[in-house]
């Protein structure tokens, strides 16, 4: 019996749970039955029926099964029992379960029909299971009852807390909102069954955020709880809202979320200046439209509620200054309307008002939403450049004006108190060809060159006005000089006319219409008169008709023109303009006689017709001439190359002396030998030599020897200088010799110099000295010159060197 006690207590606990569930279901009008029975057999009451009852087809009696979710017992949870009236308890019937969760979640005892749940169920995952029951013959496995379907419904318990799916929340509400203003609605959901008990019935409460806000327990709507909440004092609040199920009763589950409420701005603060007065200094040289100063009124509001407008309401600078609003910084920007002059007025006072651009009428009762400040502007004296009485001076001059003609005068003055004298000049960058001059002290402008309107009709020159005391102060003005036209250009043909005359032309036929152009521009427009030149007045071939509209027509006077007789006619035309005085020009019109087709289109003209008749076209003649010219050019080139042929600069192999050593053992004939070497060539270095330039190297001889001193041509008594100059001349001559090979060569010149103690040993100067010389000084030179001292000295050399 002791071993059976745990099973008994388990059955008792399951029974108690079922009773509780049955009671709860009874409260909601539901019935719990844990046994599924077949329907009772129907008896036949028809007349004539035998005593033996006939068995009818049976079906299962249907009832729902209920099972609690989240069961945590150690044993399988008993769900219910299946039973057939065929089962007499003899073990001949077995029960089979199929459908959702069969075998995996729900099992059935095939002998007794008891159904158990072997896994913990969660209603939020699956609320009910649909299964099928079957009673079979134990031996044959044939159904003894038809299959029946039933449902096992999972009974809900309060195992899910409320959650806020849209949390956390962010909301905005205008500052100064009245009590009860809706801010935001929070919504919590509970996964438990809302149709069973109070597990899903949620109420709301506020844990943090009081006393500023409140929440409706049923709807979750958050509202303001205090009036006059000022954004400028505090602009953000953090609320914690709780949602609790079981209608808020003890034991219910709860969840929380946060709500961040931000107070949005309203225009409840007027602008205020701090300080109330400002002082600024302004240089009088400040350009018009420049910014003079900036002021700003403070407004605790933000955004559009802090936008301001500034205006000058009083002061003595209403016409000199204006104030505007910087949209980015909301500053009042004071700018200059007119030029300042320290000498005229050096102080200005402005009274400026700042007001809100978008006032809120709800707060106008608190007072005017504007403020004023006083601005004092002090003008600083600046050394200003001269000012022209007129920045732009317009002048006119005739293009026939002679050099020195006065055109006009400009005037400038020093606006400073010093009133420095002014000197005028022309900016030559605007008058590059120096057509004009200006008198430095008076500003009188005159012509410096003849003018030509057809080259430049308008001259725009800049005049400089410079203070005499301070030349750094320069004023600039513009003189616009218009050159007036005179009739100084004769009319000419409008284009180069190419006139063709058909051989078949009849008398009086118009062969050309001509017009003219004139570079002049008379005020009343051009009017040209056409006629034949006097030398063509008796022309028998052509005549001219003036069309009175600045054009003229050329007409034939006869027929029978033949290009073989004359292929080209030249007709002089006289054109006269309407200027004062009238100018004219004679223009020659070339008329070619052509063979034309039936439509009058020229086919061949002048000498070309004869070429065509001979079978040669113009292109063929040009090709023949080009060939002849090419041959002539080739012949000339060959002749020139033969004449200019010279010896090659590169020596042949037999004459290559780069590595040849030539030794001369011929000793000269002494002082009297003047045949072996010409002494004049050594002495006379002033001989003019031809300047020869090598053709195989770049002629840079001058730059190569620039560091060296120039050749010395002075007193011939200085033999050392003479020989030095001789060597340099030979070196330069070798550098520029055009016949020298293009490679480097070595030329050696030996010069003894003038610093030797023994002086020169050469016999070149022996002619000017006595043959009997004193060589006693050799004894003073040491043992190396002992032999010479013995040969030439008079003293006893042995005594000297002993």
């Amino acid at each position: 019996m002791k071993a059976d006690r745990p099973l008994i207590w388990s059955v008792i606990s399951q029974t108690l749970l079922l009773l509780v569930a049955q009671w709860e279901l009874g409260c909601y009008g539901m019935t719990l039955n844990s046994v599924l029975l077949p329907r009772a057999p129907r008896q036949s009451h028809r007349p004539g029926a035998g005593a033996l009852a006939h068995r009818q087809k049976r079906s299962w009696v249907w009832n729902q099964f209920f099972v609690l979710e989240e069961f945590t017992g150690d044993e399988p949870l008993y769900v219910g029992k299946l039973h057939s009236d065929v089962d007499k308890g003899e073990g001949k019937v077995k029960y089979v379960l199929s459908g959702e969760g069969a075998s995996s979640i729900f099992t059935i005892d095939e002998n007794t029909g008891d159904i158990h749940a072997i896994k913990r169920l969660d209603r939020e995952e699956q609320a009910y299971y649909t299964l099928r029951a079957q009673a079979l013959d134990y031996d044959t496995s044939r159904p003894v009852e038809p299959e029946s379907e039933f449902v096992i419904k999972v009974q809900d318990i309060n195992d899910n807390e409320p959650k806020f799916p849209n949390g956390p929340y962010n909301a905005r509400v205008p500052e100064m909102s009245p009590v009860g203003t809706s801010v935001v609605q929070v919504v919590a959901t509970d996964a438990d069954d809302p149709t069973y008990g109070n597990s899903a019935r949620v109420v709301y409460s506020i844990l943090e955020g009081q006393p500023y806000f409140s929440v409706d327990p049923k709807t979750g709507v958050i509202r303001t709880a205090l009036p006059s909440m000022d954004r400028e004092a505090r602009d953000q609040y953090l609320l914690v809202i709780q949602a609790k199920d079981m209608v808020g009763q003890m034991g219910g589950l709860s969840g929380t979320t946060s709500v961040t409420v931000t107070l949005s701005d309203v225009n409840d603060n007027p602008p205020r200046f701090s300080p109330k007065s400002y002082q600024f200094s302004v240089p009088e040289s400040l350009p018009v439209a420049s910014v003079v100063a900036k002021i700003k009124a403070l407004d605790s509001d933000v955004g559009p509620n802090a936008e301001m407008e500034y205006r000058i309401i009083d002061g003595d600078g209403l016409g000199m200054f204006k104030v505007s609003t910087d949209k980015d910084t909301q500053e009042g920007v004071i700018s200059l309307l007119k030029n300042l002059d320290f000498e005229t007025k050096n102080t200005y006072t402005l009274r400026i008002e700042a007001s809100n651009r978008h006032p809120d009428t709800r707060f106008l009762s608190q007072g005017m939403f504007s403020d004023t400040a006083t601005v004092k502007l002090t003008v600083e004296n600046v050394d200003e450049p001269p000012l022209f009485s007129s920045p732009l001076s317009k002048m006119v001059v005739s293009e026939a004006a002679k050099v020195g003609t006065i055109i006009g005068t400009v005037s400038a003055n020093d606006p400073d108190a010093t009133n420095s004298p002014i000197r005028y000049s022309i900016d030559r960058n605007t008058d590059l060809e120096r057509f004009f001059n200006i008198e430095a002290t008076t500003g009188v402008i005159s012509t410096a060159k003849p003018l030509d309107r057809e080259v430049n009709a308008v001259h725009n020159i800049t005049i400089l006005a410079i203070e005499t005391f301070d030349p750094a102060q320069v004023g600039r003005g513009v003189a616009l000089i218009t050159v007036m036209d005179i009739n100084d250009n004769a009319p000419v043909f409008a284009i180069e006319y190419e006139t063709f005359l058909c051989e078949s032309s009849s008398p009086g036929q118009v062969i050309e219409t001509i017009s003219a152009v004139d570079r002049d521009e008379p005020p009343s427009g051009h009017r040209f008169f056409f006629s034949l030149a006097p030398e063509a007045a008796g022309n028998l071939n052509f005549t001219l008709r003036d069309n009175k509209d600045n054009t003229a027509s050329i007409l034939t006077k006869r027929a029978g023109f033949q290009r073989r007789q004359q292929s080209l006619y030249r007709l002089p035309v006289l054109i006269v303009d309407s200027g004062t005085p009238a100018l004219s020009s004679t223009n020659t019109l070339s008329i070619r006689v052509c063979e034309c087709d039936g439509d009058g289109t020229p086919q061949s003209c002048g000498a070309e017709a004869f070429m065509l008749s001979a079978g040669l076209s113009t292109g063929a003649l040009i090709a023949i001439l080009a060939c002849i010219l090419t041959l002539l050019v080739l012949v000339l080139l060959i002749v020139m190359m033969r004449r200019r042929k010279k010896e090659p600069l590169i020596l042949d192999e037999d004459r290559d002396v780069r590595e040849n050593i030539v030794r001369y053992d011929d000793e000269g004939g002494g002082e009297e030998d003047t045949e072996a070497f010409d002494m004049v060539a050594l002495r006379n270095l002033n001989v003019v030599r031809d300047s020869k330039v090598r053709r195989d190297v770049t002629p840079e001889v001058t730059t190569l020897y620039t560091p060296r001193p120039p050749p010395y041509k002075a007193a011939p008594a200085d033999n050392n200088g003479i020989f030095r100059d001789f060597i340099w001349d030979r070196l330069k001559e070798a550098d520029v010799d055009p016949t020298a090979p293009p490679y480097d060569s070595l030329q050696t010149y030996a010069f003894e110099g003038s610093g030797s103690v023994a002086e020169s040993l050469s016999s070149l100067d022996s002619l000017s000295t006595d043959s009997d010389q004193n060589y006693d000084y050799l004894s003073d030179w040491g043992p190396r010159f002992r032999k010479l001292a013995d040969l030439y000295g008079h003293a006893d050399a042995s005594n000297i060197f002993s």
Side-chain angles (χ1 to χ4, degrees), residues 560-587:
F561 290 95
Q562 296 293 328
R563 66 186 185 281
R564 296 179 181 273
Q565 297 176 1
Q566 185 172 348
S567 61
L568 179 64
Y569 294 88
R570 298 186 183 276
L571 185 66
V573 178
L574 178 65
I575 307 175
V576 182
D577 62 17
S578 58
T580 303
L583 297 179
S584 64
S585 67
T586 300
N587 299 263

Side-chain angles (χ1 to χ4, degrees), residues 126-180:
Q126 187 165 346
Y128 62 89
Y129 296 86
T130 302
L131 295 97
R132 293 180 298 277
Q134 181 79 62
L136 305 175
D137 184 274
Y138 198 88
D139 296 327
T140 64
S141 298
R142 297 180 62 183
V144 297
E145 295 288 348
E147 187 180 58
S148 182
E149 188 176 84
F150 67 97
V151 174
I152 298 178
K153 187 174 182 180
V154 181
Q155 187 67 42
D156 183 47
I157 65 172
N158 189 19
D159 61 339
N160 290 280
E161 72 278 2
K163 294 182 179 180
F164 293 89
N166 297 324
Y169 294 85
N170 288 281
R172 298 178 68 87
V173 64
E175 63 174 331
M176 300 295 177
S177 296
V179 176

